[in-house]
Amino acid sequence: MNDELDVQCLPYMPLQIERLRKSKAWLRCKRNPEIAFYMVNLWMRAWHEIPAGSIEDDDDVLADAAMCSPDKWEELKDDILRGWDRHDGRVWHSTVIEIATEAVGKLRMNKSRTAAAREARELQRQSSVTGTVTENVTDSVTEHEGKGREGKGIEDKTTSDDVVAAAPSISQVFAFETQSIRLTTAQLEQWRKGFPHLALEAELLALDEWAGTKGNRWFAAVSGALAKKERAAVDRVSTAAAVRDRGGGRRPDPRI
């Protein structure tokens, strides 16, 4: 187990729908839907624990995480915890750990691509500066050589455009890339500025599978989805500010 597995930066937990629907755990929930409520609550709690996918192995803690009464917990805990492993004083769910590990891998990959894009951009900038200096020196030298070539009918067909054309285009370096979503540094920064209330990378990872169903229109679809999420976030902030300005009001249930 990865004792440092941490996905607290991700506000969502991916749900593998077909895998869940075909599982024996969900079959038991069909017979007793109440168990499904407790199971999902435990998965969500384990997702934002460190290490991700685990919870302290204590009946009071587990019952609270499941939002289950102590009496009901004693009655149903064997069914609710079926599929969890116990060791090191915690209970562990292999599927939650697997999904969290995959999510961390994607986050690290995107950070690496962002760093690579930044480095490539800096190299291009340095290359542009060097090219300008070289061009000035070359012009100074060839100004005199050209006179001799004119007399001999020699024509130099190599231009600076040929050199530039051979260089890789920085626009082809993606700062963020998943199975369906690919963004350049400029596009990523544009969305980051346009949707300041969102955890952008996390939202993009959550939208990746859905974006794949949109074909060539994925960019507009994802942009629209992010805009909707941004409006909802702004509304929540405005509502919270209004409540605060009025002097409080009933505090929301922190479990929601």
Side-chain angles (χ1 to χ4, degrees), residues 114 116 120 160 176 223:
T114 300
S160 59
F176 183 95
S223 181

Side-chain angles (χ1 to χ4, degrees), residues 8-195:
Q8 290 184 341
C9 64
L10 299 177
Y12 70 94
M13 182 179 71
L15 180 65
Q16 298 179 353
I17 298 173
E18 285 305 306
R19 182 175 180 177
L20 176 60
R21 286 172 60 87
K22 294 176 181 178
S23 68
K24 292 182 179 179
W26 213 241
L27 180 61
R28 295 196 305 273
C29 294
K30 180 180 180 180
R31 304 190 196 102
N32 188 354
E34 184 180 17
I35 296 177
F37 173 73
Y38 301 137
M39 287 171 53
V40 172
N41 283 330
L42 285 180
W43 297 341
M44 291 190 294
R45 174 66 170 269
W47 180 255
H48 278 161
E49 288 281 322
I50 300 177
S54 71
I55 309 175
E56 181 182 354
D57 189 5
D58 178 275
D59 281 335
D60 289 332
V61 173
L62 292 169
D64 179 70
M67 297 187 184
C68 179
S69 69
D71 292 341
K72 183 66 71 173
W73 176 256
E74 287 299 323
E75 175 187 344
L76 298 175
K77 68 178 181 180
D78 289 340
D79 286 331
I80 298 171
L81 290 175
R82 192 176 300 179
W84 293 75
D85 297 319
R86 280 188 162 96
H87 60 83
D88 300 331
R90 301 181 73 81
V91 293
W92 304 76
H93 197 286
S94 59
T95 302
V96 178
I97 294 171
E98 176 189 333
I99 297 173
T101 301
E102 181 180 349
V104 167
K106 288 182 178 179
L107 287 174
R108 289 174 179 170
M109 185 183 300
N110 284 319
K111 286 182 180 179
S112 297
R113 285 174 175 153
T114 300
R118 188 181 299 113
E119 182 179 355
R121 190 166 61 251
E122 177 61 20
L123 288 174
Q124 186 189 45
R125 186 190 67 79
Q126 293 177 3
S127 177
S128 298
V129 172
T130 303
T132 300
V133 174
T134 303
E135 184 178 353
N136 292 337
V137 173
T138 303
D139 288 345
S140 177
V141 173
T142 56
E143 181 179 355
H144 301 288
E145 292 182 350
K147 295 178 180 179
R149 289 178 178 175
E150 289 174 1
K152 298 178 182 179
I154 298 175
E155 181 180 1
D156 186 356
K157 296 183 179 180
T158 302
T159 68
S160 59
D161 289 339
D162 296 325
V163 179
V164 173
S169 172
I170 193 65
S171 64
Q172 295 176 350
V173 178
F174 295 114
F176 183 95
E177 184 175 6
T178 60
Q179 184 174 353
S180 305
I181 299 174
R182 295 176 177 82
L183 301 173
T184 63
T185 300
Q187 291 169 332
L188 186 64
E189 290 306 314
Q190 182 180 9
W191 276 0
R192 200 186 305 281
K193 292 178 181 179
F195 311 121

